[in-house]
Amino acid sequence: MQQQNIRTHQFDNGLTLVVESMGHVQSAAFSLMVPAGSIFDVAGKNGTASVLANLISRGAGALNARELSSALDNLGLQRSEGPGLTHMSFSGATLAKNISAALPLYGDIVLRPHLPADEFEAAQAGVIQSLRALEDEPRQKIFLELRRRCYDAPWGLPTEGSLADVESLTADDVRAHFETAFRPDEAILGIAGNVDFDEIRDTVEQVFGDWKRKPKPEFATAPHGPSQDHIHHDSAQTQIGIAYEAVPYRSPDYYAGWAAVSVLSGGMSSRLFTEVREKKGLCYSIHASLSSLHDDARVLCYAGTTTERAQETLDTTMTELKRL
């Protein structure tokens, strides 16, 4: 068994570096979390962070979009970027020897993106197509709607955005989000692989050391949606969503909470699968998961069934939730 070798360093501007050195591998992976997630979308513009994530790598520093993409591809980098609730993430994996060359490129992406106005509509269209696809995925859509109804805004708003809001966005909205939210304080860079901590720390200092602190942007809150609701959808099935309060990250019972959810929905021997699907044959798909913020949490439950069996499915599911 390999011994863990994890070290951390916080730079003067607030950026935190976490490195796990793994001498037995030839690769390395990184994840840069920038505190610019969807909670910082301006009210009525839900999806700004999502469009920004789609636009931000289309040219940065001295490289245009094609040159930047080629430079990353030439490093053999498997990469992705996307918004979360609180942070926007940039992740990549490649040979360990290429990490030091990849970091300056991401320094340009995060500090000096072009955000070209002529590429905005394409970035916006990509997000719009993704949101429209969700309309054909009732299971995914019901989880988004559950969150909207059990967490106050902006915590319950979808990170992907809302279709009407995204369609009304402008390039200036996206640039304003970047200018306001991208900052090193509360940003985290994690790197794991066959890397030397001191060398990585020095490289990160050179790349991100000039990144200036900014005030944390404020965001407006609003009450969540109704506790009971029905959404009409032209479908052969009825989708049932249930949410109830659970233990958040900060609770000492957090892992016990996960264990309880696993009893409900941890595989083919779990209670919901056994009682609702196997014994009574009420539905094909049933699932529960723990959704947690730092100070608030819910268990989100889903079942897809026929209209004729919807009430019995709901009753049997509620019986199992209460029994637990």
Side-chain angles (χ1 to χ4, degrees):
M1 180 179 294
Q2 298 290 334
Q3 184 177 2
Q4 284 189 322
N5 182 17
I6 300 175
R7 298 176 64 182
T8 65
H9 177 80
Q10 187 170 59
F11 298 94
D12 292 341
N13 59 9
L15 171 65
T16 297
L17 173 67
V18 183
V19 177
E20 180 176 3
S21 298
M22 306 166 66
H24 58 288
V25 301
Q26 297 302 312
S27 61
F30 71 89
S31 181
L32 174 60
M33 309 292 291
V34 181
S38 62
I39 64 169
F40 301 110
D41 290 348
V42 174
K45 298 181 179 181
N46 180 216
T48 309
S50 187
V51 176
L52 175 57
N54 205 5
L55 181 66
I56 196 168
S57 60
R58 301 187 183 211
L63 305 178
N64 61 32
R66 179 175 295 181
E67 292 167 340
L68 179 59
S69 180
S70 295
L72 294 170
D73 288 343
N74 289 339
L75 294 174
L77 196 69
Q78 296 179 326
R79 60 191 188 273
S80 64
E81 53 277 325
L85 273 175
T86 59
H87 287 69
M88 188 175 295
S89 65
F90 302 85
S91 301
T94 183
L95 292 174
K97 64 180 182 180
N98 292 336
I99 284 291
S100 293
L103 289 176
L105 296 174
Y106 276 88
D108 283 337
I109 291 172
V110 171
L111 275 69
R112 293 169 289 276
H114 296 174
L115 304 180
D118 59 347
E119 294 272 4
F120 168 75
E121 288 188 4
Q124 180 187 39
V127 176
I128 289 173
Q129 291 302 317
S130 178
L131 291 172
R132 286 178 175 164
L134 278 176
E135 298 299 316
D136 296 326
E137 295 289 343
R139 180 174 177 173
Q140 294 184 49
K141 182 176 175 60
I142 200 167
F143 276 107
L144 292 177
E145 296 299 335
L146 269 180
R147 289 186 60 89
R148 197 191 295 270
R149 286 157 176 75
C150 66
Y151 290 119
D152 289 346
W155 307 104
L157 298 179
T159 57
E160 299 87 349
S162 304
L163 188 57
D165 288 359
V166 172
E167 288 178 335
S168 68
L169 292 177
T170 67
D172 288 341
D173 293 328
V174 174
R175 180 169 288 278
H177 186 98
F178 169 78
E179 297 291 350
T180 302
F182 267 57
R183 53 197 172 85
D185 34 318
E186 299 185 16
I188 303 169
L189 173 60
I191 300 175
N194 192 349
V195 295
D196 178 78
F197 175 80
D198 293 331
E199 291 180 2
I200 288 294
R201 182 195 58 208
D202 292 345
T203 299
V204 173
E205 175 69 47
Q206 293 172 8
V207 172
F208 296 102
D210 293 335
W211 195 3
K212 304 299 183 184
R213 287 180 179 263
K214 295 178 182 177
K216 183 176 181 178
E218 297 181 355
F219 53 86
T221 60
H224 59 70
S227 58
Q228 294 187 5
D229 203 2
H230 175 261
I231 302 171
H232 177 75
H233 188 271
D234 188 12
S235 172
Q237 279 197 321
T238 293
Q239 319 295 327
I240 298 172
I242 304 166
Y244 62 89
E245 291 187 0
V247 289
Y249 286 135
R250 61 173 172 76
S251 171
D253 293 326
Y254 176 69
Y255 292 104
W258 259 117
V261 176
S262 295
V263 170
L264 277 177
S265 182
M268 296 180 68
S269 63
S270 63
R271 291 186 182 182
L272 292 180
F273 188 94
T274 300
E275 298 298 327
V276 184
R277 173 177 162 164
E278 292 297 292
K279 289 185 178 181
K280 296 190 175 182
L282 292 171
C283 63
Y284 178 77
S285 179
I286 189 162
H287 176 71
S289 62
L290 178 60
S291 168
S292 180
L293 306 174
H294 184 267
D295 296 309
D296 201 6
R298 301 289 187 275
V299 172
L300 305 180
C301 306
Y302 162 84
T305 185
T306 62
T307 302
E308 294 76 19
R309 294 186 172 187
Q311 186 63 56
E312 187 178 0
T313 300
L314 175 60
D315 293 342
T316 306
T317 301
M318 292 300 298
T319 296
E320 292 307 311
L321 298 182
K322 292 175 181 178
R323 185 163 74 95
L324 179 66

